[in-house]
Amino acid sequence: MNNDRRSFLKFGAAGVAVAAGLNGLMSVNPHLLNESITRKLLGARRLAPTFPRERAKDPKENGNVGLDEDVTDWSLKIDAPGHPSRSMSLDEVKALPRVEMTTELMCVEGWSEVVSWAGTPLRHIAPNDAPEYVSLTTPDKLYYVGLDLDSALHPQTLLAWEMNGAPLTPEHGAPLRLVIPVKYGIKNIKRIGAINFQTTRPPDYWAERGYDWYSGL
Ligand SMILES: Nc1nc2c(c(=O)[nH]1)N[C@H]1C(S)=C(S)[C@@H](COP(=O)(O)O)O[C@H]1N2
Ligand SMILES: [Mo]
């Protein structure tokens, strides 16, 4: 899909003028479409495009940082200031409202795939008084992602346990991964072990290696 088509799908007719202006920037370097531009011009709450379920394909297994440890004893640890630490089993997470969506997973390496997911919006586990940032880490803490709260609470930001109609495989992040179609693939952390709502901007694996911390689309 070329940039014009993608811009049209993302922003609709009303956004084409803005998007056309940004296309020049994006064709130079997508990371120039950074946090301040995305948030101020476009707003953090717009929806990512969705696709018919039949368009979905299995994405490339890409990146295995943090996926080595055994997860037979897996539980999701959740921390937020002013709240006791808690932990949820996979069954408890799956008991939250289920959302299915078919969206595009876009890797900074230049490939993308339409994928169908099932999970629950991350906002269902967020406290009402959540601070500015969210940190997500693998159980072994080797891969970690930082999000601004608006993006974390976006309705299409899912804690997902199914991909294309089947439970996640280990390579795609079993038992639970993040799907966040308003961000590049790097933010879609596989095998979440802990989620921390926090006041300070969390470290981020790929931001530490030169990519934009915000990595919005
Ligand atoms: N734990 C973990 N999550 C990760 C990565 C990784 O190396 N480790 N790579 C990221 C990148 S760069 C991409 S593009 C997507 C790819 O997801 P997929 O393997 O399900 O296609 O996972 C993201 N999540
Ligand atoms: Mo990626």
Side-chain angles (χ1 to χ4, degrees):
M1 193 188 298
N2 66 32
N3 271 345
D4 290 342
R5 175 87 179 123
R6 186 172 279 162
S7 299
F8 183 78
L9 286 175
K10 276 196 304 196
F11 309 116
V16 162
V18 174
L22 292 172
N23 258 345
L25 282 176
M26 292 173 81
S27 59
V28 177
N29 179 343
H31 304 294
L32 290 176
L33 188 67
N34 64 9
E35 175 165 4
S36 58
I37 296 171
T38 308
R39 296 186 84 161
K40 288 181 188 133
L41 286 183
L42 305 172
R45 295 233 146 218
R46 73 211 151 76
L47 292 178
T50 57
F51 300 82
R53 172 74 181 78
E54 317 79 70
R55 284 275 311 274
K57 294 202 174 66
D58 286 356
K60 182 173 158 186
E61 293 168 1
N62 205 52
N64 56 9
V65 180
L67 303 184
D68 281 345
E69 226 174 48
D70 176 74
V71 281
T72 40
D73 280 337
W74 183 92
S75 69
L76 178 64
K77 317 271 181 306
I78 304 166
D79 274 283
H83 297 268
S85 296
R86 60 189 180 114
S87 119
M88 292 179 85
S89 67
L90 186 60
D91 283 344
E92 287 170 330
V93 177
K94 285 179 165 179
L96 296 170
R98 177 186 170 99
V99 166
E100 295 178 5
M101 67 179 191
T102 303
T103 50
E104 195 170 14
L105 178 66
M106 263 185 256
C107 178
V108 291
E109 291 166 358
W111 58 269
S112 75
E113 195 60 86
V114 171
V115 188
S116 187
W117 306 100
T120 193
L122 187 154
R123 59 181 177 186
H124 290 308
I125 60 139
N128 291 330
D129 58 352
E132 242 340 68
Y133 295 103
V134 185
S135 164
L136 301 99
T137 53
T138 53
D140 63 9
K141 300 188 172 27
L142 291 178
Y143 197 83
Y144 38 95
V145 157
L147 298 175
D148 57 288
L149 187 66
D150 280 348
S151 301
L153 302 186
H154 187 284
Q156 292 171 309
T157 298
L158 302 188
L159 300 172
W161 55 81
E162 268 177 44
M163 188 184 89
N164 294 337
L168 284 177
T169 59
E171 295 76 16
H172 289 294
L176 193 70
R177 72 174 295 167
L178 190 73
V179 179
I180 180 163
V182 296
K183 303 280 186 189
Y184 277 102
I186 49 178
K187 294 287 190 184
N188 291 239
I189 180 175
K190 301 187 276 194
R191 188 172 291 172
I192 306 165
I195 300 181
N196 197 14
F197 297 90
Q198 58 186 68
T199 54
T200 53
R201 179 177 277 216
D204 184 278
Y205 183 90
W206 281 111
E208 287 172 359
R209 286 156 182 80
Y211 286 91
D212 178 44
W213 186 89
Y214 191 70
S215 283
L217 282 162

